[in-house]
Amino acid sequence: MRPYDLPLDPSNGLMKTVLAVLWLTTLAFSQSKDEQSLLAIHQHTREAHLKGDAVLLTSDLAFEIMDVGRGHFDKQTRDQVRDHFMAYFQQAKYSSFEDLAPPAIHISPDGRSAWMAVQIKAKITMTEPGKQPENIDFQSAWLSTFEKQNGHWKMTAIAYSVPPGK
């Protein structure tokens, strides 16, 4: 039997198998594309810290995010987070921001939500008014959650560990 002689009846076992393989291939490709998109967000985060760019840092945030760290949690708007980092980057200059391990990513089976766990080491120079500049090496880790909004991944929450003052 030649391929073009196969009946295209959806009840055909071979046709079901071919359709299942195509569906799984499409699903694997879309998750790979989603993983690439999430890794690009992580790269934006790194670049934003190294450049001191609060606008870039917040470009992948949802309108409102849940911020969990330093013993508390609260909701903040993207604008509030941007303003916080604008002030922070006035004092903190990053000379290094490197992954200690590749980010761990999980995408929900329906492809509408995801999380990413990150562990980095960084070097900053803190320059606070009235104080000598301080060079600080530190490690940080965080878990971010994401939702797909209008076809783009947006961070909706972050839980983090950083040493005080970083």
Side-chain angles (χ1 to χ4, degrees), residues 22-65:
L22 286 173
W23 180 79
L24 289 172
T25 302
T26 301
L27 181 63
F29 176 75
S30 70
Q31 285 203 342
S32 174
K33 183 179 176 185
D34 285 336
E35 285 178 4
Q36 290 172 5
S37 296
L38 291 164
L39 289 171
I41 291 171
H42 176 57
Q43 191 59 31
H44 292 162
T45 300
R46 179 182 184 278
E47 183 181 339
H49 279 82
L50 290 169
K51 289 181 174 180
D53 186 341
V55 173
L56 176 61
L57 183 64
T58 57
S59 65
D60 297 307
L61 296 185
F63 173 75
E64 192 172 71
I65 71 162

Side-chain angles (χ1 to χ4, degrees), residues 26-163:
T26 301
L27 181 63
F29 176 75
S30 70
Q31 285 203 342
S32 174
K33 183 179 176 185
D34 285 336
E35 285 178 4
Q36 290 172 5
S37 296
L38 291 164
L39 289 171
I41 291 171
H42 176 57
Q43 191 59 31
H44 292 162
T45 300
R46 179 182 184 278
E47 183 181 339
H49 279 82
L50 290 169
K51 289 181 174 180
D53 186 341
V55 173
L56 176 61
L57 183 64
T58 57
S59 65
D60 297 307
L61 296 185
F63 173 75
E64 192 172 71
I65 71 162
M66 179 61 69
D67 180 350
V68 181
R70 295 191 174 105
H72 67 87
F73 70 91
D74 61 335
K75 284 190 174 184
Q76 294 186 16
T77 67
R78 178 178 36 242
D79 291 343
Q80 289 172 314
V81 175
R82 185 198 63 235
D83 292 347
H84 165 79
F85 275 96
M86 283 181 149
Y88 173 73
F89 288 146
Q90 294 290 319
Q91 297 178 349
K93 303 297 181 211
Y94 281 74
S95 59
S96 174
F97 186 105
E98 304 301 327
D99 290 320
L100 288 173
I105 296 173
H106 173 78
I107 300 168
S108 67
D110 66 4
R112 294 175 32 187
S113 63
W115 57 257
M116 178 169 32
V118 175
Q119 182 183 21
I120 60 118
K121 62 180 178 177
K123 293 181 182 183
I124 61 174
T125 300
M126 288 295 292
T127 308
E128 296 181 51
K131 294 184 179 180
Q132 290 283 63
E134 181 181 4
N135 295 319
I136 303 168
D137 294 357
F138 69 96
Q139 285 186 223
S140 178
W142 62 89
L143 179 70
S144 303
T145 62
F146 298 85
E147 289 178 5
K148 197 173 270 186
Q149 298 177 358
N150 298 319
H152 300 282
W153 288 107
K154 296 293 181 179
M155 183 190 297
T156 56
I158 186 166
Y160 56 90
S161 69
V162 292

